[in-house]
Amino acid sequence: MCLVTPTTGQTITCKAAVAWGPKAPLVIEEIQVEPPQAQEVRIKITHTSLCHSDVTFWEAPVEVFPRIFGHEAAGIVESVGEGVLDLKPGDHVIPVFTGECGNCKYCKSPRTNICANYAVDALRGTMKSDGRTRFSIQGKPIFHFMGTSTFSEYTVVDQAQVVKVDPTAPLDKICLLGCGIATGIGAVWKTAKVEAGASVAVFGLGAVGLAVVAGAKIAGASRIIAVDLNPAKFAKAKVFGATDFLNPKEHDKAIQCVIQEMTGGGVDYSFECVGNTSVMRSAYESCQPGWGKSVIVGVDGSNKMLEINPLEFFSGRIWTASVFGGFKCKSDLPDLVDKYMSKELEYDEMITHTRPFSRINEAFSLLQKGESLRCVIEVEA
Ligand code: APR
Ligand code: ZN
């Protein structure tokens, strides 16, 4: 077993897609990637896909630029820093934006996937250990994103955010488990715990919403109502198991009233997969008083408040949210990869496009125009 690669301990010069400012098209640059420090891992990214949250923070007028985005990916460990015991060069891995240190109060509890030490923080642009970046261009630092920065041939990630998976699993497919697919599936299986026979409504039919539809089908839901403003999304939703299709634009009354009428009170479970506070409100009202549970999955970056009169909670509806589908990355993700390999979980239809690394900007426009669900970017030539 060879634990030292020729590049171990060396700074690597490689290509990365650098965002120089908010909304500025990415530029493929030659950058330097330092070796991993203690408890860090340097990964050769083979495939990465564009997720909505990359776009959200690329558009945000924050100071954390230049920056390397990307958080949905798969790759191979190139080298590990001191003290990394569970990973070695050659391991196939998925980096995850929400880590699992294994030692904090949260990690030790089965009740949450939040980690006190590696909780998601989209505004942090440096490594945890020393507050520096591992990326630079001609000596100028380039900031990290979500601790993952996968739009690069090589990246450095804290070991708590690196998950070792089955080396026979196709990296160009399992990269999707790094965010969107796991998020949607987990929202159904872990957060809502949808049971056989239940009725479900899904708002927003991007990759996340479609993963909710797929998860609900596998859980045995009897009715899956798919809601989207873009009717072009309904065909794929049907493939994944949706039974009813609603376009809010085609109804005179509020969509929650339509759903209440269709179901005689409301669905057992509803999921918001858009990232819009008013859709969150509709999803909440679409579920059955007494026991209906509404799960917020979408991320609203606008800082808006949710409005609710506390008396409404006496209706007995439950309102909650889900991050990374409630999955603890190291404990739960390998099992999801195994389910993909055994075809218990199928989502290849989610990959509507692939592009070489040099054409990564096309992935942005495809997602923004609603033309793609997931575009897989081949980082490794
Ligand atoms: N009602 C219903 N559907 C809507 C509405 C609305 N008011 N507004 C937008 N949509 C639909 C869009 O037409 C699109 O099909 O929501 C879908 C969103 O899909 P994507 O943009 O592809 O996003 P996705 O990657 O699935 O992520 C969804 O989850 O993780 C979060 O940050 C992510 O907030 C985002 C959400
Ligand atoms: Zn922890």
Side-chain angles (χ1 to χ4, degrees):
M1 188 169 53
C2 173
L3 292 181
V4 180
T5 50
T7 43
T8 297
Q10 312 281 318
T11 292
I12 291 178
T13 296
C14 68
K15 290 201 176 83
V18 177
W20 285 97
K23 299 187 190 175
L26 308 191
V27 184
I28 304 281
E29 304 273 12
E30 215 156 71
I31 65 151
Q32 276 70 48
V33 184
E34 286 178 22
Q37 299 297 309
Q39 302 294 346
E40 294 174 1
V41 180
R42 191 160 58 185
I43 303 169
K44 182 181 193 348
I45 296 295
T46 61
H47 298 86
T48 186
S49 36
L50 181 66
C51 169
H52 205 104
S53 313
D54 294 304
V55 180
T56 302
F57 291 100
W58 169 68
E59 287 179 335
V62 294
E63 300 289 304
V64 201
F65 285 95
R67 198 170 203 192
I68 298 173
F69 285 97
H71 67 283
E72 210 177 78
I76 300 170
V77 173
E78 175 270 336
S79 64
V80 301
E82 247 174 74
V84 176
L85 303 176
D86 64 336
L87 296 159
K88 58 179 188 316
D91 283 347
H92 287 211
V93 292
I94 297 179
V96 179
F97 62 93
T98 174
E100 181 181 355
C101 76
N103 298 317
C104 71
K105 180 178 182 178
Y106 300 90
C107 283
K108 285 181 179 159
S109 166
R111 292 188 273 195
T112 181
N113 67 332
I114 289 171
C115 169
N117 296 309
Y118 294 94
V120 50
D121 179 0
L123 296 181
R124 178 164 65 85
T126 55
M127 296 305 286
K128 275 243 146 189
S129 65
D130 58 5
R132 291 176 55 252
T133 70
R134 302 287 171 265
F135 303 120
S136 60
I137 182 162
Q138 290 160 357
K140 182 181 162 63
I142 307 173
F143 290 111
H144 296 247
F145 176 63
M146 301 273 223
T148 51
S149 290
T150 59
F151 296 163
S152 178
E153 289 178 326
Y154 288 88
T155 187
V156 176
V157 181
D158 277 300
Q159 71 84 27
Q161 293 179 242
V162 183
V163 183
K164 180 177 168 175
V165 297
D166 177 356
T168 66
L171 295 164
D172 60 336
K173 304 291 191 304
I174 62 167
C175 57
L176 267 61
L177 292 173
C179 181
I181 305 300
T183 297
I185 294 283
V188 179
W189 295 354
K190 286 204 81 127
T191 310
K193 300 187 175 72
V194 170
E195 67 280 344
S199 57
V200 168
V202 185
F203 291 73
L205 303 172
V208 174
L210 290 176
V212 167
V213 171
K217 167 95 188 290
I218 297 170
S222 61
R223 196 168 188 191
I224 304 173
I225 303 169
V227 186
D228 203 293
L229 293 173
N230 179 355
K233 303 280 176 169
F234 294 147
K236 273 277 161 81
K238 191 166 186 182
V239 170
F240 285 105
T243 57
D244 299 75
F245 307 89
L246 293 178
N247 182 349
K249 283 194 267 186
E250 286 175 4
H251 296 269
D252 299 334
K253 49 184 138 179
I255 202 68
Q256 53 268 41
C257 301
V258 177
I259 293 175
Q260 285 163 8
E261 278 169 23
M262 282 169 74
T263 54
V267 288
D268 298 318
Y269 301 96
S270 65
F271 297 86
E272 200 276 356
C273 308
V274 177
N276 174 316
T277 49
S278 86
V279 180
M280 292 171 191
R281 182 72 227 201
S282 303
Y284 172 69
E285 288 176 38
S286 299
C287 70
Q288 171 69 48
W291 63 78
K293 195 173 193 180
S294 188
V295 183
I296 296 170
V297 187
V299 177
D300 188 331
S302 72
N303 243 343
K304 282 201 198 107
M305 295 289 159
L306 279 175
E307 267 185 45
I308 182 147
N309 182 324
L311 290 174
E312 290 181 71
F313 285 117
F314 291 112
S315 72
R317 291 181 175 120
I318 300 161
W319 214 356
T320 186
S322 183
V323 175
F324 195 53
F327 288 127
K328 288 180 188 281
C329 66
K330 289 205 185 227
S331 304
D332 298 325
L333 201 51
D335 178 55
L336 223 48
V337 171
D338 294 346
K339 284 195 163 66
Y340 175 78
M341 294 303 283
S342 67
K343 295 196 186 299
E344 243 176 283
L345 174 63
E346 293 185 89
Y347 58 77
D348 287 2
E349 291 265 349
M350 223 71 95
I351 301 168
T352 52
H353 300 76
T354 56
R355 288 288 182 275
F357 198 25
S358 58
R359 289 164 65 189
I360 188 169
N361 285 302
E362 291 176 30
F364 277 71
S365 53
L366 285 164
L367 191 70
Q368 286 175 304
K369 282 188 257 164
E371 285 173 19
S372 72
L373 290 168
R374 279 298 184 262
C375 177
V376 171
I377 297 145
E378 296 153 335
V379 179
E380 192 183 41

